[in-house]
Amino acid sequence: MRDQMGRCVSGWGRFYSWRRGQTDMLTLLALGWTKRKVEQLGCSLSQRYLKIIRILGEQLESLNATKNELGVDDDTLQQWAEETDQTDGSLGALQARIEELVVIIRVRTQSLYRQNDSNKRRHRIRKVILDEKKRLAAAVDDYNKLAEPTKQIVSSDALMQTDIWPWQSTSEPAADLQTKRKVFEKVMAVRRLREDEMILCREMRHHRTVLRMRSVVLGTISSDSSLVGMSEDAQKGLRSLVLKKQSELKAEMLKVKDMYKRILSHQPLLEMDSEEEEDIPDDATESDLSTSDED
């Protein structure tokens, strides 16, 4: 088989030619995808930010509904969340562990005869309850070593007969472990969404900073020092290309600024960026290039 130039092409030659063509096509597709991603970065960040704001509003409404349902204030919700989010070995972690064990023991004890009609199965559950009571007694001992004398636990059996924890005053609203876990998940969801909001704000600011730096780099490329050794036609061609790139870049910067300004009107981010932009004379650079072209 011969190629277009009349040369003989073997099977391996055709294979390598196909592989080279496939590699070139994959490279072109990757470059095109990267270009589209860069061009749509402002729109993508804006959509992600609006989505985060929408979900954050829904989570705040859910948290407020939970607060109204429980009849507590924001401080109590934050306190329950902090009590649940404790490291092992701390006083708050021991309190959460004791509450969890008490609830588990109560549930197993109540369902011992209701859901188990076999003596063999009830015997296994009694052994599990006994092990959990031992863990509860050990947790109570560790808690008493760290707690104040007025908030210490007399015995683990006394916890099974009351619904008020020793570390909780009678004036405070009572809440079981499941309720505290529910509040903790809602509070942490709001915190994560607010962190995501700040991260997106930083990404938007970085995006605008990169666009400004690209404008500065284009101005540096067209400086007189970089044109040494080039012919007059080459210099004019380079300046014309730089002017075109700078015009496109400036239009993109204005579009991105307007887009971010609409969705970040309550953020001080844009005011800071506008002050930074005053230090970069984009218009002056373009006017210098156009003057040099006319010469």
mmCIF file of all heavy atoms in Angstrom, residues 55-77:
data_model
loop_
_atom_site.group_PDB
_atom_site.id
_atom_site.type_symbol
_atom_site.label_atom_id
_atom_site.label_comp_id
_atom_site.label_asym_id
_atom_site.label_seq_id
_atom_site.Cartn_x
_atom_site.Cartn_y
_atom_site.Cartn_z
ATOM 1 N N ILE A 55 -28.253 27.112 48.884
ATOM 2 C CA ILE A 55 -28.259 26.012 49.853
ATOM 3 C C ILE A 55 -28.045 26.543 51.269
ATOM 4 O O ILE A 55 -28.650 26.049 52.234
ATOM 5 C CB ILE A 55 -27.176 24.978 49.488
ATOM 6 C CG1 ILE A 55 -27.449 24.392 48.104
ATOM 7 C CG2 ILE A 55 -27.124 23.861 50.513
ATOM 8 C CD1 ILE A 55 -26.388 23.439 47.623
ATOM 9 N N LEU A 56 -27.199 27.565 51.401
ATOM 10 C CA LEU A 56 -26.972 28.155 52.719
ATOM 11 C C LEU A 56 -28.259 28.757 53.276
ATOM 12 O O LEU A 56 -28.562 28.611 54.466
ATOM 13 C CB LEU A 56 -25.882 29.221 52.628
ATOM 14 C CG LEU A 56 -25.548 29.981 53.920
ATOM 15 C CD1 LEU A 56 -25.096 29.023 55.010
ATOM 16 C CD2 LEU A 56 -24.483 31.041 53.657
ATOM 17 N N GLY A 57 -29.035 29.430 52.421
ATOM 18 C CA GLY A 57 -30.310 29.978 52.877
ATOM 19 C C GLY A 57 -31.270 28.887 53.326
ATOM 20 O O GLY A 57 -31.969 29.035 54.344
ATOM 21 N N GLU A 58 -31.291 27.763 52.579
ATOM 22 C CA GLU A 58 -32.160 26.652 52.969
ATOM 23 C C GLU A 58 -31.724 26.056 54.298
ATOM 24 O O GLU A 58 -32.565 25.723 55.152
ATOM 25 C CB GLU A 58 -32.145 25.580 51.873
ATOM 26 C CG GLU A 58 -32.742 26.044 50.552
ATOM 27 C CD GLU A 58 -32.586 25.010 49.461
ATOM 28 O OE1 GLU A 58 -31.931 23.973 49.732
ATOM 29 O OE2 GLU A 58 -33.110 25.229 48.343
ATOM 30 N N GLN A 59 -30.413 25.910 54.507
ATOM 31 C CA GLN A 59 -29.916 25.352 55.764
ATOM 32 C C GLN A 59 -30.204 26.289 56.937
ATOM 33 O O GLN A 59 -30.522 25.828 58.046
ATOM 34 C CB GLN A 59 -28.415 25.075 55.657
ATOM 35 C CG GLN A 59 -28.049 23.928 54.741
ATOM 36 C CD GLN A 59 -28.529 22.584 55.269
ATOM 37 O OE1 GLN A 59 -28.696 22.388 56.459
ATOM 38 N NE2 GLN A 59 -28.745 21.645 54.363
ATOM 39 N N LEU A 60 -30.084 27.592 56.715
ATOM 40 C CA LEU A 60 -30.387 28.542 57.786
ATOM 41 C C LEU A 60 -31.867 28.493 58.149
ATOM 42 O O LEU A 60 -32.234 28.567 59.329
ATOM 43 C CB LEU A 60 -29.988 29.959 57.356
ATOM 44 C CG LEU A 60 -28.480 30.249 57.326
ATOM 45 C CD1 LEU A 60 -28.212 31.626 56.743
ATOM 46 C CD2 LEU A 60 -27.884 30.148 58.728
ATOM 47 N N GLU A 61 -32.745 28.369 57.138
ATOM 48 C CA GLU A 61 -34.171 28.241 57.428
ATOM 49 C C GLU A 61 -34.460 26.959 58.201
ATOM 50 O O GLU A 61 -35.272 26.960 59.147
ATOM 51 C CB GLU A 61 -34.961 28.253 56.121
ATOM 52 C CG GLU A 61 -34.965 29.599 55.398
ATOM 53 C CD GLU A 61 -35.757 29.554 54.109
ATOM 54 O OE1 GLU A 61 -36.294 28.457 53.801
ATOM 55 O OE2 GLU A 61 -35.849 30.588 53.418
ATOM 56 N N SER A 62 -33.789 25.871 57.833
ATOM 57 C CA SER A 62 -33.982 24.615 58.553
ATOM 58 C C SER A 62 -33.485 24.719 59.994
ATOM 59 O O SER A 62 -34.122 24.212 60.920
ATOM 60 C CB SER A 62 -33.254 23.483 57.824
ATOM 61 O OG SER A 62 -33.369 22.266 58.531
ATOM 62 N N LEU A 63 -32.340 25.393 60.170
ATOM 63 C CA LEU A 63 -31.813 25.566 61.525
ATOM 64 C C LEU A 63 -32.740 26.440 62.368
ATOM 65 O O LEU A 63 -32.967 26.157 63.552
ATOM 66 C CB LEU A 63 -30.411 26.178 61.455
ATOM 67 C CG LEU A 63 -29.656 26.331 62.782
ATOM 68 C CD1 LEU A 63 -29.458 24.978 63.434
ATOM 69 C CD2 LEU A 63 -28.313 27.011 62.552
ATOM 70 N N ASN A 64 -33.280 27.493 61.773
ATOM 71 C CA ASN A 64 -34.220 28.350 62.510
ATOM 72 C C ASN A 64 -35.507 27.592 62.851
ATOM 73 O O ASN A 64 -36.078 27.789 63.931
ATOM 74 C CB ASN A 64 -34.545 29.597 61.685
ATOM 75 C CG ASN A 64 -33.364 30.544 61.571
ATOM 76 O OD1 ASN A 64 -32.521 30.603 62.468
ATOM 77 N ND2 ASN A 64 -33.273 31.263 60.474
ATOM 78 N N ALA A 65 -35.956 26.741 61.927
ATOM 79 C CA ALA A 65 -37.146 25.938 62.217
ATOM 80 C C ALA A 65 -36.891 24.979 63.379
ATOM 81 O O ALA A 65 -37.760 24.791 64.248
ATOM 82 C CB ALA A 65 -37.566 25.162 60.969
ATOM 83 N N THR A 66 -35.696 24.369 63.398
ATOM 84 C CA THR A 66 -35.344 23.489 64.517
ATOM 85 C C THR A 66 -35.272 24.265 65.826
ATOM 86 O O THR A 66 -35.725 23.785 66.876
ATOM 87 C CB THR A 66 -34.003 22.809 64.230
ATOM 88 O OG1 THR A 66 -34.080 22.078 62.997
ATOM 89 C CG2 THR A 66 -33.633 21.848 65.346
ATOM 90 N N LYS A 67 -34.725 25.465 65.768
ATOM 91 C CA LYS A 67 -34.643 26.295 66.974
ATOM 92 C C LYS A 67 -36.029 26.638 67.488
ATOM 93 O O LYS A 67 -36.283 26.557 68.701
ATOM 94 C CB LYS A 67 -33.848 27.560 66.648
ATOM 95 C CG LYS A 67 -33.695 28.502 67.831
ATOM 96 C CD LYS A 67 -32.914 29.738 67.428
ATOM 97 C CE LYS A 67 -33.696 30.578 66.438
ATOM 98 N NZ LYS A 67 -33.016 31.850 66.109
ATOM 99 N N ASN A 68 -36.928 27.013 66.596
ATOM 100 C CA ASN A 68 -38.292 27.333 67.023
ATOM 101 C C ASN A 68 -39.036 26.099 67.528
ATOM 102 O O ASN A 68 -39.840 26.179 68.460
ATOM 103 C CB ASN A 68 -39.069 27.975 65.865
ATOM 104 C CG ASN A 68 -38.469 29.303 65.437
ATOM 105 O OD1 ASN A 68 -37.875 30.013 66.241
ATOM 106 N ND2 ASN A 68 -38.608 29.634 64.164
ATOM 107 N N GLU A 69 -38.761 24.968 66.903
ATOM 108 C CA GLU A 69 -39.414 23.730 67.327
ATOM 109 C C GLU A 69 -38.992 23.326 68.731
ATOM 110 O O GLU A 69 -39.811 22.875 69.539
ATOM 111 C CB GLU A 69 -39.087 22.613 66.326
ATOM 112 C CG GLU A 69 -39.681 21.263 66.681
ATOM 113 C CD GLU A 69 -39.252 20.176 65.719
ATOM 114 O OE1 GLU A 69 -38.596 20.519 64.705
ATOM 115 O OE2 GLU A 69 -39.574 19.007 65.969
ATOM 116 N N LEU A 70 -37.694 23.491 69.029
ATOM 117 C CA LEU A 70 -37.189 23.130 70.351
ATOM 118 C C LEU A 70 -37.407 24.229 71.384
ATOM 119 O O LEU A 70 -37.281 23.981 72.586
ATOM 120 C CB LEU A 70 -35.696 22.791 70.266
ATOM 121 C CG LEU A 70 -35.333 21.599 69.371
ATOM 122 C CD1 LEU A 70 -33.827 21.471 69.256
ATOM 123 C CD2 LEU A 70 -35.945 20.314 69.911
ATOM 124 N N GLY A 71 -37.711 25.446 70.921
ATOM 125 C CA GLY A 71 -37.938 26.547 71.841
ATOM 126 C C GLY A 71 -36.681 27.023 72.548
ATOM 127 O O GLY A 71 -36.711 27.356 73.739
ATOM 128 N N VAL A 72 -35.549 27.059 71.826
ATOM 129 C CA VAL A 72 -34.278 27.480 72.412
ATOM 130 C C VAL A 72 -33.730 28.641 71.592
ATOM 131 O O VAL A 72 -34.216 28.959 70.502
ATOM 132 C CB VAL A 72 -33.261 26.317 72.440
ATOM 133 C CG1 VAL A 72 -33.756 25.198 73.341
ATOM 134 C CG2 VAL A 72 -33.025 25.776 71.021
ATOM 135 N N ASP A 73 -32.693 29.283 72.127
ATOM 136 C CA ASP A 73 -32.064 30.397 71.435
ATOM 137 C C ASP A 73 -30.800 29.936 70.721
ATOM 138 O O ASP A 73 -30.415 28.757 70.778
ATOM 139 C CB ASP A 73 -31.744 31.531 72.418
ATOM 140 C CG ASP A 73 -30.923 31.039 73.604
ATOM 141 O OD1 ASP A 73 -30.535 29.841 73.603
ATOM 142 O OD2 ASP A 73 -30.672 31.826 74.528
ATOM 143 N N ASP A 74 -30.121 30.881 70.053
ATOM 144 C CA ASP A 74 -28.917 30.542 69.288
ATOM 145 C C ASP A 74 -27.786 30.067 70.190
ATOM 146 O O ASP A 74 -27.021 29.172 69.811
ATOM 147 C CB ASP A 74 -28.458 31.758 68.477
ATOM 148 C CG ASP A 74 -29.458 32.128 67.391
ATOM 149 O OD1 ASP A 74 -30.195 31.221 66.949
ATOM 150 O OD2 ASP A 74 -29.504 33.309 67.000
ATOM 151 N N ASP A 75 -27.643 30.657 71.359
ATOM 152 C CA ASP A 75 -26.564 30.255 72.271
ATOM 153 C C ASP A 75 -26.713 28.799 72.691
ATOM 154 O O ASP A 75 -25.717 28.060 72.785
ATOM 155 C CB ASP A 75 -26.545 31.166 73.500
ATOM 156 C CG ASP A 75 -26.207 32.607 73.139
ATOM 157 O OD1 ASP A 75 -25.564 32.803 72.096
ATOM 158 O OD2 ASP A 75 -26.592 33.524 73.889
ATOM 159 N N THR A 76 -27.938 28.373 72.951
ATOM 160 C CA THR A 76 -28.162 26.975 73.347
ATOM 161 C C THR A 76 -27.832 26.022 72.206
ATOM 162 O O THR A 76 -27.222 24.962 72.420
ATOM 163 C CB THR A 76 -29.617 26.784 73.789
ATOM 164 O OG1 THR A 76 -29.924 27.694 74.840
ATOM 165 C CG2 THR A 76 -29.844 25.364 74.285
ATOM 166 N N LEU A 77 -28.215 26.394 70.984
ATOM 167 C CA LEU A 77 -27.880 25.557 69.829
ATOM 168 C C LEU A 77 -26.371 25.427 69.663
ATOM 169 O O LEU A 77 -25.851 24.329 69.417
ATOM 170 C CB LEU A 77 -28.508 26.138 68.566
ATOM 171 C CG LEU A 77 -30.030 26.041 68.422
ATOM 172 C CD1 LEU A 77 -30.456 26.650 67.099
ATOM 173 C CD2 LEU A 77 -30.500 24.598 68.506
#
